[in-house]
Amino acid sequence: MPELTEPAAFRPAPGETASPWLALHVFYAANPQPLLVNCVRPLVDRLTEDGLLSGYFFINYWLEGPHVRLRLRPSGPDAEAEVRRRAEDAITAFLTTRPALYEVDSGFLKDFYNSLFDIEFPGEDRDAYMGADGRMNLRPNNSFSHEVYAPEYAKYGGPAGVDLAEWHFRHSSDLVLEAYRSMNLHLRTVLLGTSAQLMMVMASCFLPEEERLADYLDSYYAFWHRLFPGTGFIGSTEYEKTYERMAPSLGARFARLRQAVASGDLSRLPAFLRRWAEHCLELRERVAELTERGELAFPAWEGPAREDSGQQRTEDADAAPLVTVTHLPAVLPRLLSPYMHMTNNRLHVTIRDEAYLAFVLGRVLREPAAGRNAS
């Protein structure tokens, strides 16, 4: 069980004056790959080369219409205005020359987003995003706005955990942008294969014990199933039907990846996965250090599960206080889930597909014959 102490008190380090994050929401009702590769990547590269940026990351989100949430952290107060200007100019130029043509005003996607809205915003937060018809508002396509970025302290372990998460988010964003540039991620088979391998590597780095990893993957699938009750978003019977077809090749690949991570010989991995494994092992080490120092804190009891977004929300008067957790076996799976999910989010993998991959990966771990027969 986690070791719980008094609610943790967090204060910025003496003299610390980090520049605030700039948060831009770019409403683009199309696959975000062109926006990310042709606009975000060059923008971030130039800002970094000119010493104007100390951090960045992005996520995909659906609230008020599909959009990319781009977070930029200027290198200091003197850089803030220039970072804002360059970001606005780059986004405006991209949306002008390559606008998204799809409008989310009817059909399946609008119904899907409204179902998510009902699940994610059941209370008073709804009013800010709801139209007179009781359905979610839609922002104009090919538009952008500056918004508030609200770090998710409860999810990532308090301020120290958020700092670590934001460091990781940059690596995850870099990885995904490189994958978009160099891989055919517009092909579903390539996208899911890439996602499965990244999930395998990260999960194996955090939870090297086979049985514990299998239990975790089963619980990860079950989490998504519970999050969308009665919607049909997360499958079960159809997952069983496709498992037999995928198990042999996936099981063999999973076994090789786990062996490489366990042996410490990451040279056995392809370069793309090797860099990811190196990062994930460093991330795990940093989590362990923060845990040992008592710098991570999580809610004393579980509340409603929510999607990661950095969305400003009304504070729940009944929310659990944050308490320090110093038991690493409790911390690792707790952080692994949002870390892994947000990389899939950046890849534009659907929650349904992510749940499916967790289901399959958990099954092949419990049925190792699938991997042996394919080797």
Side-chain angles (χ1 to χ4, degrees), residues 37 49 314 325:
V37 172
E49 290 167 3
T314 302
V325 181

Side-chain angles (χ1 to χ4, degrees), residues 192-258:
L192 294 189
T194 301
S195 171
Q197 292 180 84
L198 293 175
M199 289 174 70
M200 290 178 200
V201 169
M202 175 169 257
S204 297
C205 288
F206 268 58
L207 303 173
E209 305 89 350
E210 183 171 311
E211 184 173 352
R212 189 174 179 218
L213 178 55
D215 288 343
Y216 167 78
L217 290 168
D218 289 347
S219 67
Y220 192 61
Y221 161 72
F223 164 79
W224 291 118
H225 211 284
R226 290 194 307 272
L227 190 59
F228 299 103
T231 63
F233 293 165
I234 308 301
S236 53
T237 304
E238 63 268 37
Y239 290 1
E240 293 278 358
K241 291 179 179 178
T242 56
Y243 169 74
E244 293 299 331
R245 176 172 53 84
M246 289 192 65
S249 61
L250 200 58
R253 177 62 63 89
F254 202 173
R256 289 194 293 270
L257 292 179
R258 290 188 65 249

Side-chain angles (χ1 to χ4, degrees), residues 350-367:
T350 67
I351 291 174
R352 181 181 178 86
D353 284 337
E354 184 176 1
Y356 168 66
L357 292 175
F359 171 86
V360 172
L361 294 177
R363 282 284 297 272
V364 297
L365 264 184
R366 295 194 185 283
E367 300 176 12

Side-chain angles (χ1 to χ4, degrees), residues 131-353:
D133 61 355
R135 293 168 71 83
M136 182 184 72
N137 287 324
L138 289 173
R139 297 278 192 99
N141 195 15
N142 301 306
S143 68
F144 70 92
S145 62
H146 290 275
E147 303 289 344
V148 174
Y149 165 48
E152 295 185 286
Y153 294 112
K155 186 178 294 292
Y156 291 104
V162 164
D163 286 346
L164 177 60
E166 290 168 350
W167 170 82
H168 161 63
F169 293 163
R170 177 164 193 163
H171 285 268
S172 173
S173 297
D174 283 342
L175 173 100
V176 170
L177 290 178
E178 174 59 23
Y180 273 136
R181 187 193 64 80
S182 60
M183 300 179 182
N184 294 320
L185 294 185
H186 61 284
L187 300 176
R188 177 176 166 79
T189 52
V190 176
L191 176 63
L192 294 189
T194 301
S195 171
Q197 292 180 84
L198 293 175
M199 289 174 70
M200 290 178 200
V201 169
M202 175 169 257
S204 297
C205 288
F206 268 58
L207 303 173
E209 305 89 350
E210 183 171 311
E211 184 173 352
R212 189 174 179 218
L213 178 55
D215 288 343
Y216 167 78
L217 290 168
D218 289 347
S219 67
Y220 192 61
Y221 161 72
F223 164 79
W224 291 118
H225 211 284
R226 290 194 307 272
L227 190 59
F228 299 103
T231 63
F233 293 165
I234 308 301
S236 53
T237 304
E238 63 268 37
Y239 290 1
E240 293 278 358
K241 291 179 179 178
T242 56
Y243 169 74
E244 293 299 331
R245 176 172 53 84
M246 289 192 65
S249 61
L250 200 58
R253 177 62 63 89
F254 202 173
R256 289 194 293 270
L257 292 179
R258 290 188 65 249
Q259 289 165 6
V261 171
S263 70
D265 183 9
L266 300 182
S267 65
R268 296 159 58 183
L269 297 175
F272 178 72
L273 294 178
R274 182 173 66 250
R275 291 193 298 271
W276 183 236
E278 290 168 348
H279 167 70
C280 291
L281 289 172
E282 182 179 359
L283 177 61
R284 186 191 192 279
E285 183 177 343
R286 292 190 180 203
V287 169
E289 290 172 354
L290 290 178
T291 303
E292 184 178 352
R293 295 201 299 263
E295 295 186 33
L296 295 181
F298 298 92
W301 60 84
E302 295 295 335
R306 286 175 171 172
E307 169 75 288
D308 293 63
S309 65
Q311 184 73 37
Q312 193 171 31
R313 305 289 289 266
T314 302
E315 186 171 349
D316 185 354
D318 297 324
L322 298 187
V323 294
T324 303
V325 181
T326 58
H327 187 55
L328 186 61
V331 171
L332 287 172
R334 186 161 198 159
L335 289 177
L336 173 59
S337 294
Y339 289 165
M340 192 161 64
H341 170 58
M342 295 316 295
T343 296
N344 277 322
N345 169 284
R346 294 181 182 98
L347 284 166
H348 215 234
V349 172
T350 67
I351 291 174
R352 181 181 178 86
D353 284 337

